[in-house]
Amino acid sequence: MWSPSAGLRLSCWAHGLAVAIPLGRAGDIELLAARFESFRGQHVANGAGPGVYMGPVELQIGQAHAALGQLDAAVTDLEAAVLACDANGARGYAVQARVELADALARRLVPGDLERAQVALDAAAGEAGQLGMIPFSERIRQLRARQPTADTAGSPLSPRELEVAQLVARGLTNKQIGQALYVSERTAENHVQHILTKLGLRNRSQIAVWASGDPGRD
C-alpha cells in the first residue's frame, strides 16, 4: 500500500487550510491544525526538481488559530513563523507571516498589541512593494485603515468590531462579513455577539441603527 511522504501530506494540508479558512469551515480548520502539530519546527515543502514551498509549519498553525479566534495561540505561532522566515530568507512568506501577525494583534488588542501590529506592518510593507505582492500590499493598507483614530478612540468597540458593525449595517450576513475580512464565519459571529454584549443591544437591527449614528460615541 502506498503511503504518502510527510512532505506531500504537509503540502496537501496547507492547501486544504487555504481553502477551509476563507470558507469558514471550522471543523476542517481544527482537524488540519491538529495534524500539523507534530511537525512544529519544520517547513511545508515537497517535490523533486521544481518543488512546493509554503513556509514554516507555524505559519499554517498560526493562521488556523487566528481563523478560529484563538488569538493568543495565533500570535505565538505567527511570531515564530516570522523568525523562521527571516532566518531562511523566505521573504514572501515573511511578509505573509507579518501581515497575519499584525491582523491577529489588532484583533486581540491587549496592551501594546497595536504598536506591535504597526511595527509588523511597517516591516512587511516595504518588502511587499519590492516583491510585487499586490494583494498583501492591499491588506496592509486595509489593516492600517482599521487602526484607532481620534474619531474611534472613545468607542466601546475595538477597531475590528467597529468595522464589523458597519458591515452589519450594510446588511451583510456573518458569512459575508467573514469573507470581507478574511476570517471564518464563526469568528464573524463572535464579533457580532461581542458587539451586542458591549453595547447592550438585542439584535443586528439595533447594531445597524447604532452604526448609522456616531460609532465613536461613549
Side-chain angles (χ1 to χ4, degrees):
M1 180 181 295
W2 175 69
S3 177
S5 67
L8 180 58
R9 282 181 284 150
L10 287 171
S11 62
C12 287
W13 298 340
H15 284 295
L17 269 180
V19 174
I21 289 174
L23 292 177
R25 298 291 297 266
D28 293 332
I29 296 169
E30 291 174 349
L31 174 64
L32 291 167
R35 290 186 172 180
F36 274 113
E37 280 292 335
S38 62
F39 293 92
R40 285 182 176 276
Q42 301 184 45
H43 295 258
V44 181
N46 180 57
V52 174
Y53 180 73
M54 300 179 69
V57 165
E58 284 75 10
L59 176 57
Q60 309 299 327
I61 300 176
Q63 290 181 91
H65 284 313
L68 295 170
Q70 300 163 358
L71 298 179
D72 289 340
V75 167
T76 298
D77 284 320
L78 292 169
E79 286 177 333
V82 168
L83 293 175
C85 291
D86 285 347
N88 74 356
R91 296 171 63 194
Y93 286 100
V95 169
Q96 181 180 1
R98 285 187 165 91
V99 171
E100 300 294 352
L101 173 62
D103 197 353
L105 288 166
R107 290 164 55 196
R108 187 177 69 167
L109 281 181
V110 303
D113 275 358
L114 287 178
E115 292 78 6
R116 293 169 64 192
Q118 189 59 55
V119 169
L121 291 177
D122 288 345
E127 282 284 89
Q130 289 183 14
L131 297 172
M133 299 174 68
I134 296 174
F136 279 96
S137 293
E138 176 60 19
R139 278 194 69 191
I140 291 168
R141 185 195 66 77
Q142 292 176 356
L143 286 169
R144 283 176 166 166
R146 291 204 297 265
Q147 298 298 309
T149 65
D151 294 332
T152 63
S155 172
L157 304 183
S158 71
R160 175 49 69 91
E161 289 166 347
L162 285 169
E163 188 172 19
V164 170
Q166 293 295 330
L167 295 175
V168 169
R170 287 168 48 190
L172 273 65
T173 65
N174 289 339
K175 182 176 182 179
Q176 291 169 328
I177 291 171
Q179 291 171 342
L181 301 181
Y182 301 99
V183 299
S184 70
E185 182 176 356
R186 187 167 81 172
T187 296
E189 181 181 357
N190 288 340
H191 283 311
V192 172
Q193 186 57 53
H194 291 161
I195 292 168
L196 292 170
T197 300
K198 287 183 177 182
L199 299 180
L201 303 177
R202 296 188 301 276
N203 53 52
R204 299 172 76 93
S205 296
Q206 291 182 334
I207 293 177
V209 172
W210 183 90
S212 66
D214 177 13
R217 64 192 171 189
D218 292 330

